[in-house]
Amino acid sequence: MKHTVQVEDKEFEILLENDQISKRTRLIGIQLNVDYENRCPIVIGVLNGSFLFMADLIKELTISCEVGFIRVSSYKGTSTSGEVKEAFGLPDTLHNRNVIIVEDIVDTGHTLKFILEKVYQQSPASIKVCSLLFKPAALLEPVKELEYVGFEIPNEFVVGYGLDYNGLGRNLTHIYRAID
Ligand code: IMP
């Protein structure tokens, strides 16, 4: 196996092998099967980064569940925070449902806070977040809903297995961290 990759102008080294990711995903799946037995959750992946993790996670679920995806875009606006977010594709049928949001990575937590606000507006029965990666040192918004975490990682830029660097690298099988 190749231990380093070049993506655009940056060199990356392996952080998590696909095999480790698969094993952890299997365990999270088992936990979800127990926690959501007879609750028919709606599992919502946040595009683009979560697409590979979602696909692998969903295959571990043996419970009855619905699956969907949303996309959040950020752009510079005139608000005081300087950034405006918009959500696309969020189902409008979340009232009284058990919702599981699936993320690739929780970094500052801003994206998640925005999504959670939108979901809470529909008064779901419950909301939990499942993220493959979590950078605790980067977190600016505490997220009490973050119940399922694949791996806590250092505050470094990572790429692969769905995560991109300037739009590239999502197709890499393993997860790599930037070598500075
Ligand atoms: P947050 O709003 O700061 O938590 O950022 C969440 C989004 O930023 C994730 O869903 C990713 O798309 C992206 N992101 C954050 N950290 C990384 C990284 O290390 N590599 C690739 N994308 C990242």
Side-chain angles (χ1 to χ4, degrees), residues 25-41 43 57 60-65 98 100 126 128 147-148:
T25 303
R26 214 163 294 145
L27 288 178
I28 295 175
I30 290 168
Q31 208 180 336
L32 290 172
N33 286 330
V34 173
D35 293 354
Y36 286 87
E37 198 184 1
N38 301 321
R39 296 171 70 194
C40 192
V43 187
L57 182 65
E60 301 296 336
L61 298 186
T62 52
I63 50 170
S64 172
C65 63
N98 295 292
I100 305 171
S126 69
K128 294 290 176 200
E147 182 91 7
Y148 308 94

PDB file of all heavy atoms in Angstrom, residues 25-41 43 57 60-65 98 100 126 128 147-148:
ATOM      1  N   THR A  25     -17.021   1.321  11.368  1.00  0.00           N
ATOM      2  CA  THR A  25     -18.356   1.536  10.797  1.00  0.00           C
ATOM      3  C   THR A  25     -19.283   0.377  11.178  1.00  0.00           C
ATOM      4  O   THR A  25     -20.453   0.591  11.506  1.00  0.00           O
ATOM      5  CB  THR A  25     -18.254   1.665   9.258  1.00  0.00           C
ATOM      6  OG1 THR A  25     -17.355   2.732   8.970  1.00  0.00           O
ATOM      7  CG2 THR A  25     -19.604   1.961   8.624  1.00  0.00           C
ATOM      8  N   ARG A  26     -18.725  -0.836  11.144  1.00  0.00           N
ATOM      9  CA  ARG A  26     -19.522  -2.014  11.535  1.00  0.00           C
ATOM     10  C   ARG A  26     -20.006  -1.866  12.974  1.00  0.00           C
ATOM     11  O   ARG A  26     -21.158  -2.143  13.287  1.00  0.00           O
ATOM     12  CB  ARG A  26     -18.645  -3.262  11.392  1.00  0.00           C
ATOM     13  CG  ARG A  26     -19.404  -4.502  10.957  1.00  0.00           C
ATOM     14  CD  ARG A  26     -18.446  -5.563  10.446  1.00  0.00           C
ATOM     15  NE  ARG A  26     -17.779  -5.131   9.223  1.00  0.00           N
ATOM     16  CZ  ARG A  26     -16.515  -5.437   8.905  1.00  0.00           C
ATOM     17  NH1 ARG A  26     -15.762  -6.148   9.709  1.00  0.00           N
ATOM     18  NH2 ARG A  26     -16.000  -5.013   7.771  1.00  0.00           N
ATOM     19  N   LEU A  27     -19.113  -1.412  13.863  1.00  0.00           N
ATOM     20  CA  LEU A  27     -19.477  -1.265  15.283  1.00  0.00           C
ATOM     21  C   LEU A  27     -20.548  -0.191  15.477  1.00  0.00           C
ATOM     22  O   LEU A  27     -21.482  -0.361  16.258  1.00  0.00           O
ATOM     23  CB  LEU A  27     -18.243  -0.918  16.128  1.00  0.00           C
ATOM     24  CG  LEU A  27     -17.245  -2.060  16.331  1.00  0.00           C
ATOM     25  CD1 LEU A  27     -16.038  -1.577  17.139  1.00  0.00           C
ATOM     26  CD2 LEU A  27     -17.904  -3.241  17.044  1.00  0.00           C
ATOM     27  N   ILE A  28     -20.407   0.913  14.756  1.00  0.00           N
ATOM     28  CA  ILE A  28     -21.429   1.973  14.865  1.00  0.00           C
ATOM     29  C   ILE A  28     -22.767   1.435  14.368  1.00  0.00           C
ATOM     30  O   ILE A  28     -23.819   1.693  14.954  1.00  0.00           O
ATOM     31  CB  ILE A  28     -21.004   3.237  14.067  1.00  0.00           C
ATOM     32  CG1 ILE A  28     -19.755   3.853  14.691  1.00  0.00           C
ATOM     33  CG2 ILE A  28     -22.130   4.260  14.036  1.00  0.00           C
ATOM     34  CD1 ILE A  28     -19.186   5.032  13.905  1.00  0.00           C
ATOM     35  N   GLY A  29     -22.724   0.656  13.284  1.00  0.00           N
ATOM     36  CA  GLY A  29     -23.951   0.059  12.741  1.00  0.00           C
ATOM     37  C   GLY A  29     -24.641  -0.828  13.772  1.00  0.00           C
ATOM     38  O   GLY A  29     -25.864  -0.757  13.952  1.00  0.00           O
ATOM     39  N   ILE A  30     -23.847  -1.626  14.473  1.00  0.00           N
ATOM     40  CA  ILE A  30     -24.415  -2.519  15.493  1.00  0.00           C
ATOM     41  C   ILE A  30     -25.098  -1.684  16.582  1.00  0.00           C
ATOM     42  O   ILE A  30     -26.211  -1.981  17.019  1.00  0.00           O
ATOM     43  CB  ILE A  30     -23.306  -3.413  16.105  1.00  0.00           C
ATOM     44  CG1 ILE A  30     -22.829  -4.436  15.070  1.00  0.00           C
ATOM     45  CG2 ILE A  30     -23.797  -4.118  17.371  1.00  0.00           C
ATOM     46  CD1 ILE A  30     -21.560  -5.181  15.457  1.00  0.00           C
ATOM     47  N   GLN A  31     -24.396  -0.607  16.973  1.00  0.00           N
ATOM     48  CA  GLN A  31     -24.950   0.275  18.020  1.00  0.00           C
ATOM     49  C   GLN A  31     -26.264   0.911  17.555  1.00  0.00           C
ATOM     50  O   GLN A  31     -27.240   0.984  18.322  1.00  0.00           O
ATOM     51  CB  GLN A  31     -23.922   1.350  18.322  1.00  0.00           C
ATOM     52  CG  GLN A  31     -24.002   1.891  19.727  1.00  0.00           C
ATOM     53  CD  GLN A  31     -22.941   2.965  19.959  1.00  0.00           C
ATOM     54  OE1 GLN A  31     -21.904   3.003  19.274  1.00  0.00           O
ATOM     55  NE2 GLN A  31     -23.217   3.842  20.899  1.00  0.00           N
ATOM     56  N   LEU A  32     -26.297   1.351  16.301  1.00  0.00           N
ATOM     57  CA  LEU A  32     -27.526   1.967  15.773  1.00  0.00           C
ATOM     58  C   LEU A  32     -28.655   0.940  15.690  1.00  0.00           C
ATOM     59  O   LEU A  32     -29.820   1.257  15.987  1.00  0.00           O
ATOM     60  CB  LEU A  32     -27.270   2.584  14.393  1.00  0.00           C
ATOM     61  CG  LEU A  32     -26.382   3.837  14.358  1.00  0.00           C
ATOM     62  CD1 LEU A  32     -26.054   4.223  12.921  1.00  0.00           C
ATOM     63  CD2 LEU A  32     -27.049   5.006  15.080  1.00  0.00           C
ATOM     64  N   ASN A  33     -28.324  -0.295  15.322  1.00  0.00           N
ATOM     65  CA  ASN A  33     -29.353  -1.351  15.251  1.00  0.00           C
ATOM     66  C   ASN A  33     -29.996  -1.576  16.615  1.00  0.00           C
ATOM     67  O   ASN A  33     -31.189  -1.847  16.709  1.00  0.00           O
ATOM     68  CB  ASN A  33     -28.738  -2.662  14.751  1.00  0.00           C
ATOM     69  CG  ASN A  33     -28.439  -2.615  13.269  1.00  0.00           C
ATOM     70  OD1 ASN A  33     -29.123  -1.925  12.509  1.00  0.00           O
ATOM     71  ND2 ASN A  33     -27.415  -3.332  12.845  1.00  0.00           N
ATOM     72  N   VAL A  34     -29.177  -1.452  17.669  1.00  0.00           N
ATOM     73  CA  VAL A  34     -29.706  -1.627  19.033  1.00  0.00           C
ATOM     74  C   VAL A  34     -30.510  -0.393  19.442  1.00  0.00           C
ATOM     75  O   VAL A  34     -31.661  -0.488  19.870  1.00  0.00           O
ATOM     76  CB  VAL A  34     -28.541  -1.868  20.039  1.00  0.00           C
ATOM     77  CG1 VAL A  34     -29.060  -1.868  21.467  1.00  0.00           C
ATOM     78  CG2 VAL A  34     -27.827  -3.177  19.710  1.00  0.00           C
ATOM     79  N   ASP A  35     -29.886   0.784  19.269  1.00  0.00           N
ATOM     80  CA  ASP A  35     -30.507   2.030  19.763  1.00  0.00           C
ATOM     81  C   ASP A  35     -31.810   2.382  19.029  1.00  0.00           C
ATOM     82  O   ASP A  35     -32.673   3.064  19.579  1.00  0.00           O
ATOM     83  CB  ASP A  35     -29.534   3.211  19.610  1.00  0.00           C
ATOM     84  CG  ASP A  35     -28.329   3.075  20.535  1.00  0.00           C
ATOM     85  OD1 ASP A  35     -28.316   2.142  21.352  1.00  0.00           O
ATOM     86  OD2 ASP A  35     -27.400   3.902  20.422  1.00  0.00           O
ATOM     87  N   TYR A  36     -31.917   1.963  17.761  1.00  0.00           N
ATOM     88  CA  TYR A  36     -33.078   2.375  16.952  1.00  0.00           C
ATOM     89  C   TYR A  36     -34.013   1.227  16.587  1.00  0.00           C
ATOM     90  O   TYR A  36     -34.830   1.366  15.675  1.00  0.00           O
ATOM     91  CB  TYR A  36     -32.605   3.113  15.695  1.00  0.00           C
ATOM     92  CG  TYR A  36     -32.105   4.503  16.026  1.00  0.00           C
ATOM     93  CD1 TYR A  36     -30.785   4.713  16.393  1.00  0.00           C
ATOM     94  CD2 TYR A  36     -32.969   5.588  16.032  1.00  0.00           C
ATOM     95  CE1 TYR A  36     -30.326   5.982  16.741  1.00  0.00           C
ATOM     96  CE2 TYR A  36     -32.530   6.853  16.368  1.00  0.00           C
ATOM     97  CZ  TYR A  36     -31.207   7.051  16.720  1.00  0.00           C
ATOM     98  OH  TYR A  36     -30.774   8.308  17.063  1.00  0.00           O
ATOM     99  N   GLU A  37     -33.918   0.133  17.337  1.00  0.00           N
ATOM    100  CA  GLU A  37     -34.808  -0.998  17.075  1.00  0.00           C
ATOM    101  C   GLU A  37     -36.264  -0.543  17.190  1.00  0.00           C
ATOM    102  O   GLU A  37     -36.637   0.145  18.145  1.00  0.00           O
ATOM    103  CB  GLU A  37     -34.517  -2.109  18.095  1.00  0.00           C
ATOM    104  CG  GLU A  37     -35.054  -3.442  17.642  1.00  0.00           C
ATOM    105  CD  GLU A  37     -34.847  -4.524  18.679  1.00  0.00           C
ATOM    106  OE1 GLU A  37     -34.290  -4.231  19.765  1.00  0.00           O
ATOM    107  OE2 GLU A  37     -35.272  -5.654  18.408  1.00  0.00           O
ATOM    108  N   ASN A  38     -37.069  -0.872  16.226  1.00  0.00           N
ATOM    109  CA  ASN A  38     -38.504  -0.514  16.199  1.00  0.00           C
ATOM    110  C   ASN A  38     -38.784   0.989  16.186  1.00  0.00           C
ATOM    111  O   ASN A  38     -39.869   1.424  16.565  1.00  0.00           O
ATOM    112  CB  ASN A  38     -39.242  -1.139  17.395  1.00  0.00           C
ATOM    113  CG  ASN A  38     -39.127  -2.646  17.404  1.00  0.00           C
ATOM    114  OD1 ASN A  38     -39.191  -3.269  16.343  1.00  0.00           O
ATOM    115  ND2 ASN A  38     -38.911  -3.231  18.564  1.00  0.00           N
ATOM    116  N   ARG A  39     -37.803   1.819  15.786  1.00  0.00           N
ATOM    117  CA  ARG A  39     -38.033   3.279  15.767  1.00  0.00           C
ATOM    118  C   ARG A  39     -37.992   3.851  14.353  1.00  0.00           C
ATOM    119  O   ARG A  39     -38.179   5.051  14.173  1.00  0.00           O
ATOM    120  CB  ARG A  39     -36.993   3.989  16.643  1.00  0.00           C
ATOM    121  CG  ARG A  39     -37.118   3.613  18.121  1.00  0.00           C
ATOM    122  CD  ARG A  39     -35.965   4.153  18.924  1.00  0.00           C
ATOM    123  NE  ARG A  39     -35.992   5.594  19.059  1.00  0.00           N
ATOM    124  CZ  ARG A  39     -34.949   6.326  19.479  1.00  0.00           C
ATOM    125  NH1 ARG A  39     -33.816   5.745  19.786  1.00  0.00           N
ATOM    126  NH2 ARG A  39     -35.057   7.629  19.584  1.00  0.00           N
ATOM    127  N   CYS A  40     -37.743   3.017  13.376  1.00  0.00           N
ATOM    128  CA  CYS A  40     -37.683   3.400  11.961  1.00  0.00           C
ATOM    129  C   CYS A  40     -37.097   4.808  11.744  1.00  0.00           C
ATOM    130  O   CYS A  40     -37.812   5.732  11.337  1.00  0.00           O
ATOM    131  CB  CYS A  40     -39.059   3.297  11.312  1.00  0.00           C
ATOM    132  SG  CYS A  40     -38.948   3.417   9.512  1.00  0.00           S
ATOM    133  N   PRO A  41     -35.788   4.990  12.031  1.00  0.00           N
ATOM    134  CA  PRO A  41     -35.195   6.324  11.879  1.00  0.00           C
ATOM    135  C   PRO A  41     -35.117   6.760  10.422  1.00  0.00           C
ATOM    136  O   PRO A  41     -35.181   5.932   9.508  1.00  0.00           O
ATOM    137  CB  PRO A  41     -33.772   6.147  12.441  1.00  0.00           C
ATOM    138  CG  PRO A  41     -33.456   4.708  12.222  1.00  0.00           C
ATOM    139  CD  PRO A  41     -34.767   3.976  12.394  1.00  0.00           C
ATOM    140  N   VAL A  43     -32.361   8.427   8.168  1.00  0.00           N
ATOM    141  CA  VAL A  43     -30.921   8.665   8.202  1.00  0.00           C
ATOM    142  C   VAL A  43     -30.588   9.639   7.069  1.00  0.00           C
ATOM    143  O   VAL A  43     -30.850   9.352   5.903  1.00  0.00           O
ATOM    144  CB  VAL A  43     -30.144   7.342   8.017  1.00  0.00           C
ATOM    145  CG1 VAL A  43     -28.654   7.565   8.227  1.00  0.00           C
ATOM    146  CG2 VAL A  43     -30.669   6.266   8.961  1.00  0.00           C
ATOM    147  N   LEU A  57     -22.167   2.656   5.985  1.00  0.00           N
ATOM    148  CA  LEU A  57     -22.918   2.582   7.243  1.00  0.00           C
ATOM    149  C   LEU A  57     -24.307   1.976   7.033  1.00  0.00           C
ATOM    150  O   LEU A  57     -24.751   1.114   7.794  1.00  0.00           O
ATOM    151  CB  LEU A  57     -23.034   3.989   7.859  1.00  0.00           C
ATOM    152  CG  LEU A  57     -23.750   4.092   9.199  1.00  0.00           C
ATOM    153  CD1 LEU A  57     -22.973   3.358  10.300  1.00  0.00           C
ATOM    154  CD2 LEU A  57     -23.958   5.552   9.607  1.00  0.00           C
ATOM    155  N   GLU A  60     -24.717  -1.657   7.010  1.00  0.00           N
ATOM    156  CA  GLU A  60     -24.614  -2.345   8.309  1.00  0.00           C
ATOM    157  C   GLU A  60     -25.940  -2.327   9.062  1.00  0.00           C
ATOM    158  O   GLU A  60     -26.076  -2.980  10.090  1.00  0.00           O
ATOM    159  CB  GLU A  60     -23.529  -1.696   9.188  1.00  0.00           C
ATOM    160  CG  GLU A  60     -22.142  -1.702   8.579  1.00  0.00           C
ATOM    161  CD  GLU A  60     -21.590  -3.108   8.370  1.00  0.00           C
ATOM    162  OE1 GLU A  60     -22.028  -4.044   9.056  1.00  0.00           O
ATOM    163  OE2 GLU A  60     -20.725  -3.260   7.480  1.00  0.00           O
ATOM    164  N   LEU A  61     -26.898  -1.538   8.587  1.00  0.00           N
ATOM    165  CA  LEU A  61     -28.170  -1.426   9.319  1.00  0.00           C
ATOM    166  C   LEU A  61     -29.117  -2.549   8.908  1.00  0.00           C
ATOM    167  O   LEU A  61     -29.359  -2.772   7.720  1.00  0.00           O
ATOM    168  CB  LEU A  61     -28.824  -0.061   9.081  1.00  0.00           C
ATOM    169  CG  LEU A  61     -28.026   1.157   9.547  1.00  0.00           C
ATOM    170  CD1 LEU A  61     -28.848   2.429   9.392  1.00  0.00           C
ATOM    171  CD2 LEU A  61     -27.561   1.012  10.988  1.00  0.00           C
ATOM    172  N   THR A  62     -29.630  -3.241   9.918  1.00  0.00           N
ATOM    173  CA  THR A  62     -30.584  -4.325   9.663  1.00  0.00           C
ATOM    174  C   THR A  62     -31.994  -3.901  10.072  1.00  0.00           C
ATOM    175  O   THR A  62     -32.959  -4.599   9.795  1.00  0.00           O
ATOM    176  CB  THR A  62     -30.181  -5.587  10.450  1.00  0.00           C
ATOM    177  OG1 THR A  62     -30.005  -5.214  11.816  1.00  0.00           O
ATOM    178  CG2 THR A  62     -28.890  -6.186   9.907  1.00  0.00           C
ATOM    179  N   ILE A  63     -32.090  -2.743  10.728  1.00  0.00           N
ATOM    180  CA  ILE A  63     -33.391  -2.229  11.147  1.00  0.00           C
ATOM    181  C   ILE A  63     -34.097  -1.577   9.959  1.00  0.00           C
ATOM    182  O   ILE A  63     -33.460  -1.236   8.970  1.00  0.00           O
ATOM    183  CB  ILE A  63     -33.232  -1.162  12.270  1.00  0.00           C
ATOM    184  CG1 ILE A  63     -32.179  -0.115  11.846  1.00  0.00           C
ATOM    185  CG2 ILE A  63     -32.900  -1.812  13.591  1.00  0.00           C
ATOM    186  CD1 ILE A  63     -32.098   1.077  12.729  1.00  0.00           C
ATOM    187  N   SER A  64     -35.380  -1.374  10.102  1.00  0.00           N
ATOM    188  CA  SER A  64     -36.119  -0.639   9.090  1.00  0.00           C
ATOM    189  C   SER A  64     -35.725   0.847   9.198  1.00  0.00           C
ATOM    190  O   SER A  64     -35.703   1.400  10.306  1.00  0.00           O
ATOM    191  CB  SER A  64     -37.614  -0.857   9.384  1.00  0.00           C
ATOM    192  OG  SER A  64     -38.371  -0.039   8.577  1.00  0.00           O
ATOM    193  N   CYS A  65     -35.388   1.476   8.073  1.00  0.00           N
ATOM    194  CA  CYS A  65     -34.998   2.892   8.116  1.00  0.00           C
ATOM    195  C   CYS A  65     -35.230   3.547   6.761  1.00  0.00           C
ATOM    196  O   CYS A  65     -35.315   2.865   5.740  1.00  0.00           O
ATOM    197  CB  CYS A  65     -33.533   3.054   8.519  1.00  0.00           C
ATOM    198  SG  CYS A  65     -32.374   2.322   7.356  1.00  0.00           S
ATOM    199  N   ASN A  98     -37.567   9.984  14.184  1.00  0.00           N
ATOM    200  CA  ASN A  98     -36.245   9.871  14.788  1.00  0.00           C
ATOM    201  C   ASN A  98     -35.211  10.107  13.692  1.00  0.00           C
ATOM    202  O   ASN A  98     -35.102   9.316  12.760  1.00  0.00           O
ATOM    203  CB  ASN A  98     -36.073   8.490  15.414  1.00  0.00           C
ATOM    204  CG  ASN A  98     -37.029   8.301  16.572  1.00  0.00           C
ATOM    205  OD1 ASN A  98     -36.894   8.960  17.608  1.00  0.00           O
ATOM    206  ND2 ASN A  98     -38.017   7.447  16.400  1.00  0.00           N
ATOM    207  N   ILE A 100     -31.404  10.829  12.207  1.00  0.00           N
ATOM    208  CA  ILE A 100     -29.957  10.653  12.402  1.00  0.00           C
ATOM    209  C   ILE A 100     -29.250  11.407  11.273  1.00  0.00           C
ATOM    210  O   ILE A 100     -29.434  11.089  10.098  1.00  0.00           O
ATOM    211  CB  ILE A 100     -29.543   9.168  12.351  1.00  0.00           C
ATOM    212  CG1 ILE A 100     -30.336   8.342  13.362  1.00  0.00           C
ATOM    213  CG2 ILE A 100     -28.040   9.031  12.598  1.00  0.00           C
ATOM    214  CD1 ILE A 100     -30.138   6.828  13.222  1.00  0.00           C
ATOM    215  N   SER A 126     -36.689  12.842  17.830  1.00  0.00           N
ATOM    216  CA  SER A 126     -35.316  12.891  18.350  1.00  0.00           C
ATOM    217  C   SER A 126     -34.363  13.238  17.211  1.00  0.00           C
ATOM    218  O   SER A 126     -34.675  13.004  16.046  1.00  0.00           O
ATOM    219  CB  SER A 126     -34.912  11.539  18.954  1.00  0.00           C
ATOM    220  OG  SER A 126     -34.782  10.561  17.940  1.00  0.00           O
ATOM    221  N   LYS A 128     -30.081  12.808  16.498  1.00  0.00           N
ATOM    222  CA  LYS A 128     -28.714  12.475  16.885  1.00  0.00           C
ATOM    223  C   LYS A 128     -27.828  12.649  15.667  1.00  0.00           C
ATOM    224  O   LYS A 128     -28.287  12.577  14.523  1.00  0.00           O
ATOM    225  CB  LYS A 128     -28.613  11.027  17.381  1.00  0.00           C
ATOM    226  CG  LYS A 128     -29.362  10.756  18.666  1.00  0.00           C
ATOM    227  CD  LYS A 128     -28.716  11.431  19.865  1.00  0.00           C
ATOM    228  CE  LYS A 128     -29.546  11.220  21.123  1.00  0.00           C
ATOM    229  NZ  LYS A 128     -29.226  12.208  22.172  1.00  0.00           N
ATOM    230  N   GLU A 147     -23.621  11.953  19.007  1.00  0.00           N
ATOM    231  CA  GLU A 147     -23.684  10.748  19.840  1.00  0.00           C
ATOM    232  C   GLU A 147     -22.755   9.646  19.313  1.00  0.00           C
ATOM    233  O   GLU A 147     -22.244   8.842  20.069  1.00  0.00           O
ATOM    234  CB  GLU A 147     -25.141  10.244  19.797  1.00  0.00           C
ATOM    235  CG  GLU A 147     -25.434   9.030  20.635  1.00  0.00           C
ATOM    236  CD  GLU A 147     -25.884   9.393  22.042  1.00  0.00           C
ATOM    237  OE1 GLU A 147     -26.084  10.587  22.313  1.00  0.00           O
ATOM    238  OE2 GLU A 147     -26.037   8.471  22.847  1.00  0.00           O
ATOM    239  N   TYR A 148     -22.570   9.605  18.003  1.00  0.00           N
ATOM    240  CA  TYR A 148     -21.801   8.514  17.388  1.00  0.00           C
ATOM    241  C   TYR A 148     -20.624   9.108  16.621  1.00  0.00           C
ATOM    242  O   TYR A 148     -20.830   9.866  15.669  1.00  0.00           O
ATOM    243  CB  TYR A 148     -22.696   7.697  16.436  1.00  0.00           C
ATOM    244  CG  TYR A 148     -23.982   7.239  17.083  1.00  0.00           C
ATOM    245  CD1 TYR A 148     -25.150   7.988  16.956  1.00  0.00           C
ATOM    246  CD2 TYR A 148     -24.016   6.066  17.842  1.00  0.00           C
ATOM    247  CE1 TYR A 148     -26.334   7.578  17.566  1.00  0.00           C
ATOM    248  CE2 TYR A 148     -25.191   5.646  18.455  1.00  0.00           C
ATOM    249  CZ  TYR A 148     -26.349   6.421  18.305  1.00  0.00           C
ATOM    250  OH  TYR A 148     -27.511   6.011  18.917  1.00  0.00           O
TER     251      TYR A 148
END
